[in-house]
Amino acid sequence: EHMRRLYREEFREAFREAFAALGTEDQLLLRQRFSGHATQEALARAYGVHVNTIARWLTRARDALERGVRESLKARLRMGDTQHASILRLVRSQLDLTLGGADPSTGGAG
């Protein structure tokens, strides 16, 4: 919790930057799934693909977003490899909160 409070603004900025770096398709898919609360089944129907395909697309987009946030935070905070594991846990937990409850384009973890 201490790290979340300490790095909240850095995380928000890193999230915005990483989200903006995603392709338009990945941004749209993440928005539809998490901000729009569309189920994977509904997305599969909308895109005319199998639900497993949507699951793969979402995993790819989320992984790219996580990598971008992690790398941005690592650079911003000038962290070494020993601190990297803590940052990775923080990024994953914050990413879950952010994607679950806010519009990714605003970076709104909070």
Side-chain angles (χ1 to χ4, degrees):
E1 185 59 36
H2 171 70
M3 283 182 68
R4 270 187 220 174
R5 283 194 308 269
L6 186 61
Y7 299 125
R8 173 172 270 144
E9 287 306 313
E10 286 85 356
F11 176 82
R12 284 182 179 163
E13 203 50 45
F15 187 93
R16 284 185 195 106
E17 181 179 294
F19 189 82
L22 292 176
T24 305
E25 298 84 11
D26 287 345
Q27 289 178 2
L28 179 60
L29 191 63
L30 289 173
R31 278 191 185 111
Q32 290 170 323
R33 174 66 181 106
F34 295 104
S35 294
H37 304 290
T39 65
Q40 289 185 19
E41 292 79 10
L43 289 171
R45 281 191 305 275
Y47 283 89
V49 297
H50 193 274
V51 70
N52 290 340
T53 301
I54 288 294
R56 282 192 305 274
W57 291 355
L58 284 166
T59 297
R60 181 199 64 226
R62 192 175 187 282
D63 288 350
L65 181 61
E66 183 180 306
R67 266 191 315 278
V69 170
R70 185 178 61 236
E71 291 304 314
S72 181
L73 277 176
K74 190 175 177 184
R76 286 171 188 282
L77 302 174
R78 294 184 177 94
M79 299 227 156
D81 290 335
T82 54
Q83 296 166 310
H84 190 257
S86 295
I87 289 296
L88 181 56
R89 283 191 302 276
L90 174 68
V91 166
R92 284 192 178 138
S93 67
Q94 285 297 108
L95 201 57
D96 290 341
L97 290 173
T98 302
L99 286 174
D103 180 353
S105 65
T106 64

